[in-house]
Amino acid sequence: MGSVARPGKYETEPLGCWGRAKELRLSHYKDLAAAREQGKLIITGCETVPALPAGLGESIYFGGECYGATVGADAAFSQECAQAVETRGFARDLCSYMRNYWGSLFLDRFYFGGPFPRPDLCFHMQVGCESQSKWFQLVAEYLNIPNFFIEMPIALEAEENENCISYLVSQMQDAIGWMEQVTGREYNDDSLLAAVSNQLEMASLWAETCLLNQAVPAPLDEKSIFSLFVIKLLMGSDTEAVEFYRMVRDEVKHRVSRGIAALATERCRIFHDSQPPWHFLGIYRYMESYGAVTLGSHYSYFMHSGFQTLLDGTFVAADPPGRAGRMFGGREEALRALAVHSLRQPMWQTRLFPHLKNRHMADMVKQWHADAVVIHLNRGCEGLAIGQMENRLALQRGGVPVMAYEGNMSDSQEFEQAQVLDTVDA
């Protein structure tokens, strides 16, 4: 069986903010390549606490997962990186983002040209993924640079647990003292306050944008969503990024008011689970040939987003302090707001509590008017693979059609394209 082209039902048009997203992404990596010449600190780690290093002054954050995904989209370079890692005795079943990053480091080749940008220090937050701390422990040892990570206390309703909040804030305070010590720089609290305000604002703007995708027809598809959501991971506390997300929110709102669709032939609405196979994003276009639009995923909606969940399971956008006219009184208050925001993230909680993701996905299907769910059984990410089969059973018991396929987000050798497309056809 093969896909069938159908006549358009809705009006559609390209995203106006697409070019700006591409420009910001490329600009970030160009700045990263030139950072050392410009006297900027290069801080590497997982994209979890972008606001904290802002108080150090001129610096740039080299996020591991975003870079790993970028390399993963280039199957040839990704395989070179994987081989460089495997020849050093590491197993193939490790996080494929980590393998891409390590391989690029070992080869001393930056995907965007030139040598691998040598970081000055490793700093990030451990958020329930068993790979993260070992990832940057190796980087720190290989390059002989300082390494510090914050432990996220993951618990149900952690954002309302004073012990969890205080524990996280105390670690952030320790991290600031450590950063001053290893860099020799004086930490600027005003820069921190502005960065925290920006991070919370763009998280809320992203939640508002995702909520607009409840409209029928959907104004965005997930392939486009991935190009938009990555900016908050690359530039998580920059004013320029806040302006970009305000532009995205406003454009998507305008598309909804005019009935502009991401897919002109929309007749089926699907949620995807886990990261996509970056080396074969054509899977989205293939499903679209049947009139199926992919609305997004738990991953693309909730990764560093500003959602809150009401008692009835409805998702709403959080109201950031700055927008309500409330200003932070100082470092402690800003860190507390950042801690509550971090603890509220559904992405971290569902890694330890699959039953919570069962509920989230069922509520998403209902709120976004989805017809089915496609689950990527992703061997490249142990963290997001936790509980996927439980999620599948829970959705099926609730009457939601589910399709699952096996693959790897960044390792094309663990992905059988023909088999996956046959499953879509069936």
Side-chain angles (χ1 to χ4, degrees):
M1 181 177 178
S3 58
V4 179
R6 291 183 171 83
K9 180 180 178 182
Y10 301 106
E11 183 180 352
T12 187
E13 62 184 38
L15 278 167
C17 57
W18 181 271
R20 182 58 175 158
K22 184 176 180 180
E23 177 186 338
L24 287 172
R25 176 176 170 272
L26 290 176
S27 175
H28 171 80
Y29 282 116
K30 286 181 180 179
D31 289 346
L32 181 58
R36 188 162 297 281
E37 297 175 5
Q38 298 172 357
K40 293 181 180 179
L41 280 173
I42 301 178
I43 304 168
T44 192
C46 301
E47 300 97 340
T48 45
V49 281
L52 274 184
L56 293 174
E58 286 295 306
S59 63
I60 188 166
Y61 202 84
F62 184 7
E65 284 94 341
C66 285
Y67 184 68
T70 297
V71 173
D74 185 329
F77 185 48
S78 180
Q79 286 306 311
E80 289 186 60
C81 291
Q83 289 167 11
V85 172
E86 289 169 34
T87 56
R88 285 167 171 78
F90 294 99
R92 283 200 63 191
D93 61 356
L94 296 175
C95 167
S96 58
Y97 285 169
M98 181 171 71
R99 291 161 62 213
N100 283 343
Y101 182 106
W102 282 357
S104 183
L105 170 65
F106 294 150
L107 294 169
D108 195 24
R109 284 171 52 197
F110 189 42
Y111 181 73
F112 294 90
F116 189 88
R118 180 188 168 92
D120 296 286
L121 62 144
C122 299
F123 172 70
H124 70 101
M125 184 184 291
Q126 167 75 29
V127 294
C129 173
E130 64 273 20
S131 300
Q132 289 174 332
S133 296
K134 287 299 181 182
W135 180 338
F136 293 98
Q137 178 185 340
L138 180 142
V139 174
E141 292 173 353
Y142 186 78
L143 296 174
N144 192 27
I145 59 176
N147 179 32
F148 190 101
F149 72 88
I150 293 172
E151 180 188 33
M152 167 79 78
I154 299 176
L156 294 174
E157 300 179 346
E159 74 276 15
E160 299 176 8
N161 186 316
E162 187 57 39
N163 289 333
C164 291
I165 297 170
S166 298
Y167 178 56
L168 193 50
V169 170
S170 68
Q171 291 184 85
M172 291 179 179
Q173 292 278 24
D174 290 344
I176 290 173
W178 174 84
M179 285 189 284
E180 286 186 311
Q181 180 182 355
V182 299
T183 64
R185 296 188 179 190
E186 183 178 355
Y187 195 85
N188 186 301
D189 282 353
D190 289 340
S191 297
L192 169 70
L193 270 55
V196 172
S197 179
N198 284 344
Q199 183 177 339
L200 301 189
E201 174 67 16
M202 75 175 74
S204 182
L205 287 167
W206 182 247
E208 289 181 43
T209 302
C210 294
L211 287 166
L212 289 167
N213 227 29
Q214 296 173 73
V216 180
L220 295 173
D221 64 284
E222 188 170 43
K223 190 171 183 293
S224 300
I225 285 172
F226 279 126
S227 295
L228 302 176
F229 105 127
V230 72
I231 303 303
K232 61 185 167 61
L233 305 182
L234 297 174
M235 308 167 61
S237 61
D238 292 6
T239 300
E240 200 173 19
V242 175
E243 293 169 352
F244 169 73
Y245 281 106
R246 194 170 288 117
M247 176 176 68
V248 172
R249 189 271 317 270
D250 291 346
E251 181 181 352
V252 175
K253 186 182 292 186
H254 189 51
R255 286 170 73 92
V256 170
S257 70
R258 296 164 53 219
I260 302 298
L263 178 64
T265 56
E266 177 185 319
R267 68 189 193 98
C268 178
R269 296 163 65 89
I270 293 173
F271 269 120
H272 185 270
D273 185 52
S274 188
Q275 301 96 325
W278 294 108
H279 45 83
F280 183 56
L281 294 178
I283 188 172
Y284 293 119
R285 295 293 178 249
Y286 192 77
M287 289 191 287
E288 287 177 359
S289 67
Y290 284 103
V293 61
T294 307
L295 300 168
S297 62
H298 193 274
Y299 171 78
S300 60
Y301 281 14
F302 295 125
M303 175 69 80
H304 294 289
S305 65
F307 278 100
Q308 284 185 285
T309 310
L310 303 181
L311 292 176
D312 64 355
T314 302
F315 296 103
V316 298
D319 191 17
R323 194 183 299 180
R326 302 189 303 276
M327 303 304 293
F328 298 123
R331 178 193 292 186
E332 183 75 19
E333 189 176 341
L335 293 182
R336 184 178 177 86
L338 185 58
V340 170
H341 167 75
S342 300
L343 292 167
R344 183 183 288 144
Q345 297 297 304
M347 284 291 298
W348 317 146
Q349 296 176 357
T350 55
R351 291 187 176 189
L352 293 188
F353 306 103
H355 72 278
L356 181 60
K357 190 173 176 183
N358 291 347
R359 192 175 74 213
H360 284 173
M361 293 183 74
D363 290 339
M364 289 174 71
V365 166
K366 179 181 178 182
Q367 186 170 342
W368 274 266
H369 318 295
D371 301 294
V373 173
V374 172
I375 296 179
H376 177 198
L377 302 175
N378 180 6
R379 289 192 290 271
C381 181
E382 296 88 345
L384 291 189
I386 294 173
Q388 280 189 310
M389 298 311 288
E390 288 88 342
N391 303 150
R392 176 175 176 266
L393 287 172
L395 287 165
Q396 289 176 329
R397 290 186 186 121
V400 180
V402 181
M403 181 198 108
Y405 68 95
E406 297 184 29
N408 188 306
M409 58 192 180
S410 293
D411 190 341
S412 58
Q413 291 190 336
E414 288 198 291
F415 184 82
E416 292 292 339
Q417 179 176 322
Q419 184 181 39
V420 172
L421 296 184
D422 284 346
T423 305
V424 174
D425 289 340

